[in-house]
Amino acid sequence: MIRLNEISRVFTVGEEDVHALDRVTIDIAPGEYLAIMGPSGSGKSTLLNVIGLLDRPDYGEYYLDNVNTTELDDDRQAFIRRHRIGFVFQFFHLVPRLTATQNVELPLILAGVTPKERKERVKKALASMELTNRSDHRPDQLSGGQRQRVAIARAIIMEPGVILADEPTGNLDRTSGMEVMNILEGLNRKGITLIMVTHDPGLSKRAGRRIQMTDGRVSEDTGLR
Amino acid sequence: MIRLNEISRVFTVGEEDVHALDRVTIDIAPGEYLAIMGPSGSGKSTLLNVIGLLDRPDYGEYYLDNVNTTELDDDRQAFIRRHRIGFVFQFFHLVPRLTATQNVELPLILAGVTPKERKERVKKALASMELTNRSDHRPDQLSGGQRQRVAIARAIIMEPGVILADEPTGNLDRTSGMEVMNILEGLNRKGITLIMVTHDPGLSKRAGRRIQMTDGRVSEDTGLR
Ligand SMILES: Nc1ncnc2c1ncn2[C@@H]1O[C@H](COP(=O)(O)OP(=O)(O)OP(=O)(O)O)[C@@H](O)[C@H]1O
Ligand SMILES: Nc1ncnc2c1ncn2[C@@H]1O[C@H](COP(=O)(O)OP(=O)(O)OP(=O)(O)O)[C@@H](O)[C@H]1O
Ligand SMILES: [Mg+2]
Ligand SMILES: [Mg+2]
């Protein structure tokens, strides 16, 4: 379902080249539950951005369901991204002027869901994240962990084929974190591919497969395959 | 040194009042090492913002070194904040257009330190955070954990009397997180008051004293006193 072949991503700052991804080759089957770990700066977010069609590799190919995405133009990539991928960003990227409700509703509006059904689905999603009392708050009126939960609700509300989660419990206490993991793992059991970046070894052990990154390379790939 | 008396902070959203802090009374002695824990939304960041003079309470008094800060105007509060308090924000608040070096240098410039001495001190601070190779990167050219370390370096470079750290290792792998804790605890051993919000029970056990927050109140206060 997700096949990366010799993927490299190089950033240039001044005179210097940063090899954020260095010849990454991985195959991820539909419905897999994969955890990505590694030191700060090792390329985890960059890898997620490439998989999520938010960044293009400089070398190599990325096949999503046998389509060579590297050959698609931006509009086509954006279309696939919106319909097939849910992304929980490391720093959330919520729309500042919209309330929690409106932020979570956005993917449904883009998908043409009717107002009545939207209202119902957003209500359910916020309730599952224990955010019912904060539905009308804008991001600046929410705590860090509340913003994170809005970002998670937004990413999963369309039940996309692939969920990419960049440190989804980084700002959550253990209880809220476990609630979020139960929801994400519940979706994975329904067949949704779950790829999660985490710094928490305890969380990574719950995944079926674990990838370790070091300096832009996959240095380890363990778990049931 | 830090004395909060019946501190309350109420946010109003539409028709609703949110009691982010509810009659908080605490005394913190000079040089203490305090960890603050509690569920997402329990008021930890709001408490830190009040202590850091970034937010004013609606009720109660806040004495900093026996000065009733609640009676000071904004300019006076800003002066004290800049000279006495170092703040690591939950979401960093780095200046987007400045490099890592320039961001860390900012407090030194505001304090009138000479260019030569600034250069040296920033170089040391970035090296201690393992950011030497990223000195000329701007925040958008840094990973999440690299940004967090820039924020920490900026907060501690003046060795202020009080360091407030809101989840300082939230985006760091365990190794980088331990390096940061060693640096912060080293400063505490030199007499700097260290107040840290964390979701990590392991980290909170390293502190001399632990405060638990629930719904804006201090529900527990344990440790050597
Ligand atoms: N736009 C950019 N320009 C230059 N360098 C970049 C850019 N984005 C990322 N980098 C660099 O690429 C490397 C990988 O970054 P990435 O964000 O993928 O790391 P990460 O594994 O997610 O780290 P963290 O755990 O700290 O979030 C880092 O060393 C970073 O400095
Ligand atoms: N500007 C604001 N307007 C309205 N409500 C707010 C505002 N800022 C915070 N709140 C609310 O006040 C409560 C406390 O927020 P705070 O950011 O202090 O929580 P926290 O303990 O730091 O949470 P987290 O662990 O998620 O970071 C939350 O319920 C939040 O929704
Ligand atoms: Mg990252
Ligand atoms: Mg907070």
Side-chain angles (χ1 to χ4, degrees):
Chain A
M1 174 184 210
I2 286 173
R3 188 153 62 85
L4 279 70
N5 182 40
E6 295 286 299
I7 292 286
S8 289
R9 181 74 178 97
V10 184
F11 293 112
T12 305
V13 179
E15 305 263 318
E16 204 199 331
D17 278 348
V18 178
H19 294 264
L21 294 177
D22 183 4
R23 290 162 298 161
V24 172
T25 296
I26 345 173
D27 274 14
I28 301 165
E32 267 204 77
Y33 177 5
L34 170 67
I36 301 173
M37 296 191 78
S40 173
S42 55
K44 306 180 296 297
S45 295
T46 306
L47 177 59
L48 238 57
N49 288 340
V50 167
I51 294 173
L53 297 172
L54 286 162
D55 198 8
R56 284 179 184 275
D58 296 298
Y59 304 98
E61 300 79 39
Y62 166 29
Y63 296 87
L64 179 60
D65 291 338
N66 294 321
V67 173
N68 184 349
T69 65
T70 335
E71 295 180 342
L72 302 174
D73 64 29
D74 288 0
D75 285 345
R76 188 64 203 160
Q77 284 203 350
F79 181 86
I80 292 177
R81 185 171 66 240
R82 222 191 296 136
H83 289 262
R84 311 283 308 292
I85 297 168
F87 210 125
V88 187
F89 298 97
Q90 190 168 1
F91 299 110
F92 323 149
H93 299 321
L94 299 178
V95 181
R97 267 175 298 166
L98 300 183
T99 64
T101 296
Q102 293 164 341
N103 264 287
V104 176
E105 199 181 16
L106 221 38
L108 300 179
I109 292 175
L110 294 174
V113 176
T114 65
K116 182 164 180 293
E117 183 182 346
R118 285 198 319 250
K119 199 163 187 277
E120 203 154 313
R121 284 169 69 170
V122 172
K123 215 161 164 244
K124 266 181 90 200
L126 289 176
S128 72
M129 292 288 160
E130 312 233 344
L131 287 171
T132 303
N133 299 344
R134 295 288 179 269
S135 337
D136 301 331
H137 286 228
R138 292 183 319 266
D140 65 307
Q141 297 170 317
L142 293 170
S143 78
Q146 289 165 348
R147 287 177 211 167
Q148 187 155 40
R149 279 177 276 154
V150 174
I152 293 161
R154 178 182 65 179
I156 66 179
I157 197 157
M158 291 285 290
E159 296 204 357
V162 183
I163 290 173
L164 307 175
D166 201 341
E167 309 202 28
T169 63
N171 281 282
L172 299 178
D173 57 280
R174 194 158 49 188
T175 308
S176 312
M178 282 304 105
E179 286 167 14
V180 160
M181 289 313 300
N182 287 334
I183 290 172
L184 292 177
E185 289 168 357
L187 292 170
N188 174 247
R189 282 192 297 274
K190 285 174 39 171
I192 293 172
T193 307
L194 176 58
I195 302 171
M196 177 178 71
V197 169
T198 182
H199 280 309
D200 187 335
L203 285 186
S204 75
K205 292 201 177 76
R206 299 164 70 108
R209 177 182 175 193
R210 283 168 301 287
I211 276 178
Q212 181 79 18
M213 292 196 68
T214 310
D215 294 329
R217 289 186 311 302
V218 174
S219 52
E220 245 185 89
D221 190 343
T222 61
L224 5 139
R225 296 210 56 199
Chain B
M1 174 184 214
I2 286 172
R3 187 153 62 86
L4 280 71
N5 182 40
E6 295 285 301
I7 292 287
S8 289
R9 181 73 179 97
V10 184
F11 294 110
T12 305
V13 180
E15 305 262 317
E16 203 200 332
D17 277 350
V18 178
H19 294 264
L21 293 176
D22 184 5
R23 290 163 297 162
V24 172
T25 296
I26 344 173
D27 274 15
I28 301 165
E32 267 205 77
Y33 177 5
L34 170 67
I36 301 173
M37 295 193 78
S40 173
S42 56
K44 306 179 297 295
S45 295
T46 305
L47 178 58
L48 237 58
N49 288 340
V50 167
I51 294 174
L53 297 172
L54 287 162
D55 198 8
R56 285 180 184 272
D58 297 296
Y59 304 99
E61 299 81 37
Y62 166 29
Y63 296 87
L64 179 60
D65 291 340
N66 294 322
V67 174
N68 184 347
T69 65
T70 335
E71 295 179 343
L72 303 174
D73 64 29
D74 289 0
D75 286 344
R76 187 65 201 158
Q77 283 204 351
F79 181 86
I80 292 178
R81 184 169 68 238
R82 219 191 298 138
H83 289 261
R84 313 282 308 289
I85 297 169
F87 209 124
V88 187
F89 298 97
Q90 190 166 3
F91 299 109
F92 323 149
H93 299 319
L94 300 178
V95 181
R97 266 175 299 165
L98 301 183
T99 63
T101 296
Q102 293 164 340
N103 264 287
V104 176
E105 199 183 15
L106 222 38
L108 300 178
I109 292 175
L110 294 173
V113 176
T114 65
K116 183 165 179 293
E117 183 179 347
R118 285 198 319 248
K119 199 162 185 278
E120 203 154 312
R121 284 168 70 169
V122 171
K123 215 161 162 245
K124 266 181 90 196
L126 289 176
S128 72
M129 293 288 160
E130 311 233 348
L131 287 171
T132 303
N133 299 344
R134 295 289 180 267
S135 336
D136 300 331
H137 287 227
R138 293 184 318 268
D140 65 307
Q141 297 170 317
L142 293 171
S143 78
Q146 290 165 347
R147 288 176 210 167
Q148 188 156 38
R149 281 177 276 155
V150 174
I152 293 163
R154 178 182 65 178
I156 68 179
I157 195 156
M158 290 286 291
E159 297 203 356
V162 183
I163 291 172
L164 306 175
D166 201 341
E167 307 201 29
T169 62
N171 281 282
L172 300 178
D173 56 280
R174 195 156 48 184
T175 307
S176 313
M178 282 303 107
E179 286 167 14
V180 161
M181 290 312 301
N182 287 333
I183 290 172
L184 293 176
E185 289 168 357
L187 292 170
N188 174 247
R189 283 190 297 272
K190 284 172 45 168
I192 292 172
T193 307
L194 175 59
I195 301 172
M196 176 178 73
V197 169
T198 182
H199 281 308
D200 187 336
L203 285 186
S204 76
K205 293 201 177 76
R206 301 164 66 110
R209 177 182 175 193
R210 282 169 301 288
I211 276 177
Q212 181 79 17
M213 292 195 69
T214 310
D215 294 330
R217 285 178 299 25
V218 173
S219 52
E220 245 185 271
D221 190 342
T222 61
L224 5 138
R225 293 212 58 200

